[in-house]
Amino acid sequence: MMSIRHLKMQVQRQLKRDLDKANSYFNKSFLPPIVNYDLKGMKAGVAYLQQNEIRLNPILLQENGDTFIQQVVPHELAHLLVYQQFGRVQPHGKEWRMVMETVLGVPAETYHCFDTTSVQGERFSYRCECQTHQLSIRRHNAILRQNRQYLCRKCKKVLVFVEKLGK
């Protein structure tokens, strides 16, 4: 496994390559984003449009190395580029897909397929009429504290608590 220091350097190199492509394609100079490595949970990365900031999950970065850098970094940068070029549009809409595929030359995947067992935290089992669901501690607590209800996307029935699963 590569050191986090080495991976952060690789992230900066990827960002520079991708920014160069965007600058050339749009014939302008995009401001390089701020990069933070403080994202927790199962998300690989998040783009904060107004702050021109990308937050990356350091654990998933370390576990997935080059694949993470080649997929997640352009994905999040594309959100920032689209915002600066086109303003507010659909997060994974036609502008974002165009920037991903035409400008950056990367498949426009909206979700990562990384193993998240090391970052997923406590899980809670809930049932509906057609299947069992695993909810995060955040959703479980929302049900307990805020009287929130979640519905199954298939059968549209309310999810009912079964048991705590642990990590």
Side-chain angles (χ1 to χ4, degrees), residues 43-127:
K43 287 185 180 178
V46 176
Y48 290 86
L49 305 178
Q50 280 107 353
Q51 294 93 324
N52 193 38
E53 178 182 356
I54 294 173
R55 292 189 188 162
L56 300 174
N57 186 318
I59 295 168
L60 292 178
L61 170 61
Q62 234 176 345
E63 290 177 353
N64 299 284
D66 290 339
T67 306
F68 183 102
I69 292 166
Q70 292 160 10
Q71 292 174 1
V72 178
V73 173
H75 177 115
E76 300 309 334
L77 178 63
H79 286 299
L80 299 178
L81 297 171
V82 165
Y83 178 71
Q84 291 173 37
Q85 185 65 27
F86 304 105
R88 267 207 191 280
V89 294
Q90 286 287 349
H92 297 115
K94 65 180 192 278
E95 299 88 353
W96 178 83
R97 285 193 309 278
M98 184 278 289
V99 169
M100 285 291 286
E101 294 171 352
T102 305
V103 179
L104 303 180
V106 178
E109 302 290 333
T110 55
Y111 297 101
H112 70 75
C113 297
F114 304 132
D115 179 4
T116 58
T117 40
S118 66
V119 292
Q120 75 180 7
E122 289 183 288
R123 308 301 286 171
F124 298 82
S125 181
Y126 279 76
R127 285 236 10 106

Coordinates of all heavy atoms in Angstrom, one line a residue, residues 43-127:
K43 N -18.7 7.9 1.3 CA -18.5 8.7 0.1 C -17.0 8.7 -0.2 O -16.2 8.9 0.7 CB -19.0 10.1 0.3 CG -20.5 10.2 0.3 CD -21.0 11.6 0.4 CE -22.5 11.7 0.3 NZ -22.9 13.1 0.4
A44 N -16.6 8.6 -1.5 CA -15.2 8.7 -1.9 C -14.8 10.2 -2.0 O -13.7 10.5 -1.6 CB -15.0 8.0 -3.2
G45 N -15.7 11.0 -2.5 CA -15.3 12.4 -2.6 C -16.6 13.3 -2.7 O -17.7 12.8 -3.0
V46 N -16.4 14.6 -2.4 CA -17.5 15.6 -2.5 C -16.9 16.9 -3.0 O -15.8 17.3 -2.6 CB -18.1 15.8 -1.1 CG1 -19.2 16.9 -1.2 CG2 -18.7 14.5 -0.6
A47 N -17.6 17.5 -3.9 CA -17.2 18.8 -4.4 C -18.1 19.9 -3.8 O -19.3 19.8 -3.8 CB -17.3 18.9 -5.9
Y48 N -17.4 20.9 -3.2 CA -18.1 22.1 -2.7 C -18.0 23.2 -3.7 O -16.9 23.8 -3.8 CB -17.6 22.5 -1.3 CG -17.9 21.4 -0.3 CD1 -17.1 20.3 -0.1 CD2 -19.1 21.5 0.5 CE1 -17.5 19.3 0.8 CE2 -19.5 20.6 1.4 CZ -18.6 19.5 1.5 OH -19.0 18.5 2.4
L49 N -19.0 23.5 -4.4 CA -19.0 24.4 -5.6 C -18.5 25.8 -5.3 O -17.6 26.3 -5.9 CB -20.3 24.4 -6.3 CG -20.9 23.0 -6.7 CD1 -22.3 23.1 -7.3 CD2 -19.9 22.3 -7.6
Q50 N -19.2 26.5 -4.4 CA -18.9 27.9 -4.1 C -17.5 28.0 -3.5 O -16.9 29.0 -3.7 CB -19.9 28.5 -3.2 CG -21.2 28.9 -3.9 CD -22.3 28.0 -3.6 OE1 -22.2 27.0 -2.9 NE2 -23.5 28.4 -4.1
Q51 N -17.0 27.0 -2.7 CA -15.7 27.1 -2.1 C -14.6 26.7 -3.0 O -13.4 26.7 -2.7 CB -15.7 26.3 -0.8 CG -16.6 26.8 0.3 CD -17.9 26.1 0.3 OE1 -18.5 25.8 -0.8 NE2 -18.5 25.9 1.5
N52 N -14.9 26.1 -4.2 CA -14.0 25.5 -5.1 C -13.1 24.6 -4.4 O -11.8 24.6 -4.4 CB -13.1 26.6 -5.8 CG -12.3 26.1 -7.0 OD1 -12.8 25.3 -7.7 ND2 -11.1 26.6 -7.1
E53 N -13.7 23.6 -3.7 CA -13.0 22.7 -2.8 C -13.5 21.3 -3.1 O -14.6 21.0 -3.4 CB -13.4 23.0 -1.3 CG -12.8 22.1 -0.3 CD -13.2 22.4 1.1 OE1 -13.8 23.4 1.3 OE2 -12.8 21.7 2.0
I54 N -12.5 20.4 -3.0 CA -12.8 18.9 -3.1 C -12.4 18.3 -1.8 O -11.3 18.5 -1.3 CB -12.0 18.3 -4.3 CG1 -12.5 18.8 -5.6 CG2 -12.1 16.8 -4.3 CD1 -11.6 18.4 -6.8
R55 N -13.3 17.5 -1.3 CA -13.0 16.7 -0.1 C -12.9 15.2 -0.4 O -13.8 14.7 -1.1 CB -14.0 16.9 1.1 CG -13.9 18.3 1.6 CD -14.7 18.5 2.8 NE -14.8 19.9 3.2 CZ -15.6 20.5 4.0 NH1 -16.6 19.8 4.5 NH2 -15.6 21.8 4.2
L56 N -11.8 14.6 0.0 CA -11.6 13.2 -0.4 C -11.6 12.3 0.9 O -11.1 12.8 1.9 CB -10.3 13.0 -1.2 CG -10.3 13.8 -2.5 CD1 -8.9 13.6 -3.1 CD2 -11.4 13.3 -3.5
N57 N -12.0 11.1 0.8 CA -12.0 10.1 1.9 C -10.6 9.5 1.9 O -10.2 8.7 1.0 CB -13.1 9.1 1.6 CG -13.2 8.1 2.8 OD1 -12.2 7.7 3.4 ND2 -14.4 7.8 3.1
P58 N -9.8 9.8 2.9 CA -8.4 9.3 2.9 C -8.3 7.8 3.1 O -7.3 7.2 2.5 CB -7.8 10.0 4.1 CG -8.9 10.3 5.0 CD -10.1 10.6 4.1
I59 N -9.2 7.2 3.7 CA -9.2 5.7 3.9 C -9.5 5.0 2.5 O -8.7 4.1 2.1 CB -10.2 5.2 4.9 CG1 -9.8 5.8 6.3 CG2 -10.3 3.7 5.0 CD1 -10.8 5.7 7.4
L60 N -10.5 5.5 1.8 CA -10.8 4.9 0.5 C -9.7 5.2 -0.5 O -9.4 4.4 -1.4 CB -12.2 5.4 0.0 CG -13.4 4.8 0.8 CD1 -14.7 5.4 0.2 CD2 -13.4 3.3 0.8
L61 N -9.1 6.4 -0.4 CA -8.0 6.7 -1.2 C -6.8 5.7 -1.0 O -6.3 5.2 -1.9 CB -7.5 8.2 -0.9 CG -6.1 8.6 -1.6 CD1 -6.2 8.5 -3.1 CD2 -5.8 10.0 -1.1
Q62 N -6.5 5.5 0.3 CA -5.4 4.6 0.6 C -5.7 3.1 0.1 O -4.8 2.4 -0.4 CB -5.0 4.6 2.1 CG -3.6 4.9 2.2 CD -3.1 5.1 3.6 OE1 -3.9 5.2 4.6 NE2 -1.8 5.0 3.8
E63 N -6.9 2.7 0.3 CA -7.3 1.3 0.0 C -7.4 1.1 -1.5 O -7.3 0.0 -2.0 CB -8.6 1.0 0.7 CG -8.6 0.8 2.1 CD -9.9 0.6 2.8 OE1 -11.0 0.6 2.1 OE2 -9.9 0.3 4.0
N64 N -7.7 2.2 -2.3 CA -7.9 2.0 -3.7 C -6.9 2.7 -4.6 O -7.0 2.5 -5.8 CB -9.4 2.4 -4.0 CG -10.4 1.6 -3.3 OD1 -10.6 0.5 -3.6 ND2 -10.9 2.1 -2.2
G65 N -6.0 3.5 -4.1 CA -4.9 4.1 -4.8 C -5.2 4.6 -6.2 O -6.0 5.6 -6.3
D66 N -4.5 4.1 -7.2 CA -4.6 4.6 -8.5 C -6.0 4.6 -9.1 O -6.4 5.6 -9.8 CB -3.7 3.8 -9.5 CG -2.2 4.0 -9.2 OD1 -1.9 5.0 -8.6 OD2 -1.5 3.1 -9.6
T67 N -6.8 3.6 -8.8 CA -8.2 3.6 -9.3 C -9.0 4.7 -8.8 O -9.7 5.4 -9.5 CB -8.9 2.2 -9.0 OG1 -8.1 1.2 -9.4 CG2 -10.2 2.1 -9.6
F68 N -8.8 5.0 -7.5 CA -9.5 6.1 -6.8 C -9.1 7.4 -7.5 O -9.9 8.3 -7.9 CB -9.1 6.2 -5.3 CG -9.7 7.2 -4.5 CD1 -10.8 6.9 -3.7 CD2 -9.3 8.5 -4.5 CE1 -11.4 7.9 -2.9 CE2 -9.9 9.5 -3.8 CZ -10.9 9.2 -2.9
I69 N -7.8 7.6 -7.7 CA -7.2 8.8 -8.3 C -7.7 9.0 -9.7 O -8.1 10.1 -10.1 CB -5.7 8.9 -8.2 CG1 -5.3 9.0 -6.7 CG2 -5.1 10.0 -9.0 CD1 -3.8 8.6 -6.5
Q70 N -7.8 8.0 -10.5 CA -8.2 8.1 -11.9 C -9.7 8.3 -12.0 O -10.2 8.8 -13.1 CB -7.8 6.8 -12.6 CG -6.3 6.8 -12.8 CD -5.8 5.3 -13.1 OE1 -6.6 4.4 -13.4 NE2 -4.5 5.1 -13.0
Q71 N -10.5 7.9 -11.0 CA -12.0 8.0 -11.1 C -12.5 9.1 -10.3 O -13.3 9.9 -10.8 CB -12.6 6.7 -10.7 CG -12.4 5.5 -11.6 CD -12.9 4.2 -11.1 OE1 -13.5 4.1 -10.0 NE2 -12.7 3.1 -11.9
V72 N -12.2 9.1 -9.0 CA -12.8 10.1 -8.1 C -12.3 11.5 -8.3 O -13.1 12.5 -8.3 CB -12.6 9.6 -6.6 CG1 -13.2 10.6 -5.7 CG2 -13.2 8.2 -6.4
V73 N -11.0 11.7 -8.5 CA -10.5 13.0 -8.6 C -11.1 13.8 -9.9 O -11.6 14.9 -9.7 CB -9.0 13.0 -8.7 CG1 -8.4 14.4 -9.0 CG2 -8.4 12.5 -7.3
P74 N -11.1 13.1 -11.1 CA -11.8 13.8 -12.2 C -13.3 14.0 -12.0 O -13.8 15.0 -12.4 CB -11.5 12.9 -13.4 CG -10.4 12.0 -13.0 CD -10.5 11.9 -11.5
H75 N -13.9 13.1 -11.3 CA -15.4 13.2 -11.1 C -15.7 14.4 -10.3 O -16.5 15.2 -10.7 CB -15.8 11.9 -10.3 CG -17.3 11.9 -9.9 ND1 -18.2 11.1 -10.4 CD2 -18.0 12.7 -9.1 CE1 -19.4 11.3 -9.9 NE2 -19.3 12.3 -9.1
E76 N -14.9 14.6 -9.2 CA -15.2 15.8 -8.3 C -14.8 17.1 -9.0 O -15.4 18.1 -8.9 CB -14.5 15.6 -6.9 CG -15.0 14.4 -6.2 CD -16.5 14.3 -6.0 OE1 -17.3 15.3 -6.1 OE2 -17.0 13.1 -5.9
L77 N -13.6 17.1 -9.7 CA -13.2 18.2 -10.4 C -14.2 18.6 -11.5 O -14.4 19.8 -11.6 CB -11.8 18.0 -11.0 CG -11.2 19.2 -11.8 CD1 -11.0 20.4 -10.9 CD2 -10.0 18.8 -12.5
A78 N -14.7 17.7 -12.1 CA -15.7 18.0 -13.2 C -16.9 18.8 -12.6 O -17.4 19.7 -13.3 CB -16.2 16.7 -13.8
H79 N -17.3 18.5 -11.4 CA -18.4 19.2 -10.7 C -18.0 20.7 -10.6 O -18.8 21.6 -10.9 CB -18.7 18.7 -9.4 CG -19.5 17.4 -9.4 ND1 -20.8 17.3 -10.0 CD2 -19.2 16.2 -8.9 CE1 -21.2 16.0 -9.8 NE2 -20.3 15.3 -9.2
L80 N -16.8 21.0 -10.2 CA -16.3 22.3 -10.0 C -16.2 23.0 -11.4 O -16.5 24.2 -11.5 CB -14.9 22.3 -9.3 CG -14.9 21.7 -7.9 CD1 -13.5 21.8 -7.3 CD2 -15.9 22.4 -7.0
L81 N -15.6 22.3 -12.3 CA -15.5 22.9 -13.7 C -16.8 23.3 -14.3 O -17.0 24.4 -14.8 CB -14.7 22.0 -14.6 CG -13.3 21.6 -14.2 CD1 -12.7 20.5 -15.1 CD2 -12.4 22.9 -14.3
V82 N -17.8 22.4 -14.1 CA -19.1 22.6 -14.7 C -19.8 23.9 -14.0 O -20.3 24.7 -14.7 CB -20.0 21.4 -14.5 CG1 -21.5 21.7 -14.7 CG2 -19.6 20.3 -15.5
Y83 N -19.6 23.9 -12.7 CA -20.2 25.1 -12.0 C -19.5 26.4 -12.4 O -20.2 27.4 -12.7 CB -20.0 24.9 -10.5 CG -20.5 26.0 -9.6 CD1 -21.8 26.3 -9.5 CD2 -19.6 26.9 -9.0 CE1 -22.3 27.3 -8.7 CE2 -20.1 28.0 -8.2 CZ -21.4 28.2 -8.1 OH -21.9 29.2 -7.3
Q84 N -18.2 26.4 -12.6 CA -17.5 27.6 -13.0 C -17.9 28.0 -14.5 O -17.9 29.1 -14.9 CB -16.0 27.5 -12.8 CG -15.6 27.4 -11.4 CD -14.2 27.1 -11.1 OE1 -13.3 27.6 -11.9 NE2 -13.9 26.4 -10.1
Q85 N -18.1 27.0 -15.3 CA -18.4 27.2 -16.7 C -19.8 27.5 -17.1 O -20.2 28.3 -17.9 CB -17.8 26.0 -17.6 CG -18.0 26.2 -19.0 CD -17.1 27.3 -19.6 OE1 -16.0 27.6 -19.0 NE2 -17.4 27.9 -20.7
F86 N -20.7 26.7 -16.4 CA -22.1 26.7 -16.8 C -23.1 27.2 -15.7 O -24.3 27.4 -15.9 CB -22.6 25.3 -17.2 CG -21.8 24.7 -18.3 CD1 -20.9 23.7 -18.1 CD2 -22.0 25.2 -19.6 CE1 -20.2 23.2 -19.1 CE2 -21.3 24.6 -20.7 CZ -20.3 23.6 -20.4
G87 N -22.5 27.4 -14.5 CA -23.4 27.8 -13.3 C -24.1 26.6 -12.7 O -23.6 25.4 -12.9
R88 N -25.2 26.8 -12.0 CA -25.9 25.7 -11.4 C -26.7 24.9 -12.4 O -27.6 25.4 -13.1 CB -26.9 26.2 -10.3 CG -26.2 26.3 -9.0 CD -27.3 26.2 -7.9 NE -26.6 26.5 -6.7 CZ -25.8 25.6 -6.0 NH1 -25.7 24.4 -6.4 NH2 -25.3 26.0 -4.9
V89 N -26.4 23.6 -12.5 CA -27.0 22.7 -13.4 C -27.2 21.4 -12.6 O -26.8 21.2 -11.5 CB -26.2 22.4 -14.7 CG1 -26.1 23.7 -15.5 CG2 -24.9 21.9 -14.4
Q90 N -27.9 20.4 -13.3 CA -28.0 19.1 -12.7 C -26.7 18.5 -12.3 O -25.7 18.5 -13.1 CB -28.7 18.1 -13.6 CG -30.2 18.3 -13.8 CD -31.0 17.9 -12.6 OE1 -30.5 17.3 -11.7 NE2 -32.3 18.3 -12.6
P91 N -26.5 17.9 -11.1 CA -25.2 17.4 -10.6 C -24.5 16.4 -11.6 O -23.3 16.5 -11.8 CB -25.5 16.8 -9.3 CG -26.7 17.4 -8.8 CD -27.5 17.8 -10.0
H92 N -25.3 15.5 -12.2 CA -24.7 14.6 -13.1 C -25.4 14.7 -14.4 O -25.6 13.7 -15.1 CB -24.7 13.1 -12.5 CG -23.9 13.0 -11.3 ND1 -24.5 12.6 -10.1 CD2 -22.6 13.1 -11.1 CE1 -23.6 12.6 -9.2 NE2 -22.4 12.8 -9.7
G93 N -25.7 15.9 -14.8 CA -26.4 16.2 -16.0 C -25.6 16.2 -17.3 O -24.4 15.8 -17.2
K94 N -26.1 16.7 -18.4 CA -25.4 16.6 -19.7 C -24.1 17.4 -19.7 O -23.2 17.0 -20.3 CB -26.3 17.1 -20.8 CG -26.8 18.5 -20.8 CD -27.7 18.8 -22.0 CE -28.0 20.3 -22.1 NZ -29.0 20.9 -21.3
E95 N -24.1 18.5 -19.0 CA -22.8 19.3 -18.9 C -21.7 18.6 -18.2 O -20.6 18.5 -18.6 CB -23.1 20.7 -18.2 CG -24.1 21.6 -18.9 CD -25.5 21.3 -18.4 OE1 -25.8 20.3 -17.7 OE2 -26.4 22.1 -18.8
W96 N -22.1 17.9 -17.1 CA -21.1 17.2 -16.3 C -20.6 16.0 -17.1 O -19.4 15.7 -17.2 CB -21.7 16.7 -15.0 CG -20.8 15.9 -14.1 CD1 -19.8 16.3 -13.3 CD2 -20.7 14.5 -14.1 NE1 -19.2 15.3 -12.7 CE2 -19.7 14.1 -13.2 CE3 -21.5 13.4 -14.7 CZ2 -19.4 12.8 -12.9 CZ3 -21.1 12.1 -14.4 CH2 -20.1 11.8 -13.5
R97 N -21.5 15.3 -17.8 CA -21.1 14.1 -18.6 C -20.2 14.6 -19.7 O -19.2 13.9 -20.0 CB -22.4 13.4 -19.1 CG -23.1 12.6 -18.1 CD -24.1 11.6 -18.7 NE -25.1 12.2 -19.6 CZ -26.2 12.9 -19.2 NH1 -26.4 13.0 -17.9 NH2 -27.0 13.4 -20.1
M98 N -20.5 15.7 -20.3 CA -19.7 16.2 -21.4 C -18.3 16.5 -20.9 O -17.3 16.2 -21.5 CB -20.3 17.5 -22.0 CG -19.5 18.0 -23.2 SD -18.1 19.1 -22.9 CE -18.9 20.6 -22.2
V99 N -18.2 17.2 -19.8 CA -16.9 17.5 -19.2 C -16.1 16.2 -18.9 O -14.9 16.1 -19.2 CB -17.0 18.4 -17.9 CG1 -15.6 18.5 -17.2 CG2 -17.5 19.8 -18.4
M100 N -16.8 15.3 -18.3 CA -16.1 14.0 -17.9 C -15.6 13.3 -19.2 O -14.4 12.9 -19.3 CB -17.1 13.0 -17.2 CG -17.3 13.4 -15.8 SD -15.9 13.2 -14.7 CE -15.9 11.4 -14.5
E101 N -16.4 13.1 -20.2 CA -16.1 12.3 -21.3 C -15.3 13.0 -22.4 O -14.3 12.5 -22.8 CB -17.4 11.7 -21.9 CG -18.0 10.7 -20.9 CD -19.4 10.2 -21.3 OE1 -20.0 10.7 -22.3 OE2 -19.9 9.3 -20.7
T102 N -15.8 14.2 -22.8 CA -15.1 14.9 -23.9 C -13.9 15.7 -23.4 O -12.9 15.6 -24.1 CB -16.2 15.9 -24.5 OG1 -17.3 15.2 -24.9 CG2 -15.6 16.6 -25.7
V103 N -14.0 16.4 -22.3 CA -12.9 17.2 -21.8 C -11.8 16.4 -21.1 O -10.6 16.5 -21.4 CB -13.4 18.4 -20.9 CG1 -12.2 19.2 -20.4 CG2 -14.4 19.2 -21.7
L104 N -12.3 15.6 -20.1 CA -11.3 14.8 -19.3 C -11.0 13.4 -19.8 O -10.0 12.8 -19.4 CB -11.8 14.8 -17.8 CG -12.1 16.2 -17.2 CD1 -12.6 16.0 -15.7 CD2 -10.8 17.0 -17.2
G105 N -11.8 12.9 -20.7 CA -11.6 11.6 -21.3 C -11.8 10.5 -20.3 O -11.1 9.5 -20.3
V106 N -12.8 10.6 -19.4 CA -13.0 9.6 -18.3 C -14.5 9.2 -18.4 O -15.3 10.1 -18.7 CB -12.8 10.2 -16.9 CG1 -13.1 9.2 -15.8 CG2 -11.3 10.7 -16.8
P107 N -14.8 7.9 -18.3 CA -16.2 7.5 -18.3 C -17.0 8.2 -17.2 O -16.5 8.4 -16.1 CB -16.2 6.0 -18.0 CG -14.8 5.6 -18.3 CD -13.9 6.8 -18.1
A108 N -18.2 8.7 -17.5 CA -19.1 9.4 -16.6 C -19.8 8.5 -15.7 O -21.0 8.4 -15.8 CB -20.0 10.3 -17.4
E109 N -19.1 7.9 -14.7 CA -19.7 7.1 -13.7 C -20.1 8.0 -12.5 O -19.4 8.8 -12.1 CB -18.7 6.1 -13.2 CG -18.1 5.2 -14.3 CD -19.1 4.2 -14.8 OE1 -20.0 3.8 -14.1 OE2 -18.9 3.8 -16.0
T110 N -21.4 7.7 -12.1 CA -21.9 8.6 -11.0 C -21.6 8.0 -9.6 O -21.7 8.7 -8.6 CB -23.4 8.8 -11.2 OG1 -24.1 7.6 -11.3 CG2 -23.7 9.7 -12.4
Y111 N -21.3 6.7 -9.5 CA -21.1 6.1 -8.2 C -19.8 5.3 -8.3 O -19.5 4.7 -9.3 CB -22.2 5.1 -7.8 CG -23.5 5.8 -7.6 CD1 -24.5 5.8 -8.6 CD2 -23.8 6.5 -6.5 CE1 -25.7 6.4 -8.5 CE2 -25.0 7.1 -6.3 CZ -26.0 7.1 -7.3 OH -27.2 7.7 -7.1
H112 N -19.1 5.2 -7.1 CA -17.9 4.4 -7.1 C -18.3 3.0 -6.7 O -19.4 2.7 -6.2 CB -16.8 4.9 -6.1 CG -17.2 4.8 -4.7 ND1 -17.2 3.7 -3.9 CD2 -17.6 5.8 -3.8 CE1 -17.5 3.9 -2.7 NE2 -17.8 5.2 -2.6
C113 N -17.4 2.0 -7.0 CA -17.7 0.6 -6.6 C -16.7 0.1 -5.7 O -16.3 -1.1 -5.7 CB -17.7 -0.2 -7.9 SG -19.0 0.2 -9.1
F114 N -16.1 0.9 -4.8 CA -15.1 0.5 -3.8 C -15.7 -0.2 -2.7 O -16.9 0.0 -2.3 CB -14.3 1.7 -3.3 CG -13.7 2.6 -4.3 CD1 -13.8 4.0 -4.3 CD2 -13.0 2.0 -5.4 CE1 -13.2 4.8 -5.3 CE2 -12.4 2.8 -6.3 CZ -12.5 4.2 -6.3
D115 N -15.0 -1.2 -2.1 CA -15.4 -1.9 -0.9 C -15.4 -0.9 0.2 O -14.4 -0.2 0.5 CB -14.5 -3.0 -0.6 CG -14.8 -3.8 0.6 OD1 -15.9 -3.5 1.2 OD2 -14.0 -4.7 1.0
T116 N -16.6 -0.7 0.9 CA -16.7 0.3 2.0 C -16.8 -0.3 3.4 O -17.1 0.4 4.3 CB -17.9 1.2 1.7 OG1 -19.1 0.4 1.6 CG2 -17.8 2.0 0.5
T117 N -16.5 -1.6 3.5 CA -16.6 -2.2 4.8 C -15.8 -1.6 5.9 O -16.2 -1.5 7.0 CB -16.3 -3.7 4.8 OG1 -15.2 -4.0 3.9 CG2 -17.5 -4.6 4.3
S118 N -14.6 -1.1 5.5 CA -13.7 -0.5 6.5 C -14.2 0.9 7.0 O -13.7 1.4 8.0 CB -12.3 -0.4 6.0 OG -12.2 0.5 4.9
V119 N -15.1 1.5 6.2 CA -15.6 2.9 6.6 C -17.1 3.0 6.9 O -17.5 4.1 7.1 CB -15.2 3.9 5.4 CG1 -13.7 4.0 5.3 CG2 -15.8 3.4 4.1
Q120 N -17.8 1.9 6.8 CA -19.2 2.1 6.9 C -19.8 2.2 8.3 O -20.9 2.7 8.4 CB -20.0 0.9 6.1 CG -20.0 -0.4 6.8 CD -20.7 -1.4 5.9 OE1 -21.1 -1.1 4.8 NE2 -20.9 -2.6 6.4
G121 N -19.1 1.9 9.3 CA -19.7 2.1 10.7 C -20.8 1.1 11.0 O -21.0 0.1 10.3
E122 N -21.5 1.5 12.1 CA -22.6 0.6 12.6 C -23.7 0.5 11.5 O -24.0 1.5 10.9 CB -23.1 1.1 13.9 CG -22.2 0.9 15.1 CD -22.9 1.4 16.3 OE1 -23.0 2.6 16.5 OE2 -23.2 0.5 17.2
R123 N -24.3 -0.7 11.4 CA -25.5 -0.9 10.5 C -26.6 -1.4 11.3 O -26.5 -2.1 12.3 CB -25.1 -1.9 9.4 CG -23.8 -1.5 8.7 CD -23.8 -0.2 8.0 NE -24.7 -0.2 6.8 CZ -25.0 0.9 6.1 NH1 -24.5 2.0 6.5 NH2 -25.8 0.8 5.1
F124 N -27.8 -1.1 10.9 CA -29.1 -1.6 11.5 C -30.0 -2.2 10.5 O -30.2 -1.7 9.4 CB -29.7 -0.3 12.2 CG -28.9 0.3 13.2 CD1 -27.9 1.2 12.9 CD2 -29.0 -0.1 14.6 CE1 -27.1 1.8 13.9 CE2 -28.2 0.5 15.6 CZ -27.2 1.4 15.2
S125 N -30.5 -3.3 10.9 CA -31.4 -4.1 10.0 C -32.8 -3.6 10.2 O -33.3 -3.5 11.3 CB -31.3 -5.6 10.4 OG -32.1 -6.4 9.5
Y126 N -33.4 -3.4 9.0 CA -34.8 -3.0 9.0 C -35.5 -3.8 7.9 O -34.9 -4.3 7.0 CB -35.0 -1.5 8.6 CG -34.8 -0.5 9.7 CD1 -33.5 -0.3 10.2 CD2 -35.9 0.1 10.3 CE1 -33.3 0.6 11.3 CE2 -35.7 1.0 11.4 CZ -34.4 1.2 11.9 OH -34.2 2.1 12.9
R127 N -36.9 -4.1 8.1 CA -37.6 -4.9 7.2 C -38.8 -4.1 6.6 O -39.3 -3.2 7.3 CB -38.2 -6.1 7.8 CG -37.2 -7.2 8.1 CD -37.3 -8.6 7.5 NE -38.4 -8.9 6.6 CZ -38.1 -9.2 5.3 NH1 -36.9 -9.1 4.8 NH2 -39.1 -9.6 4.5

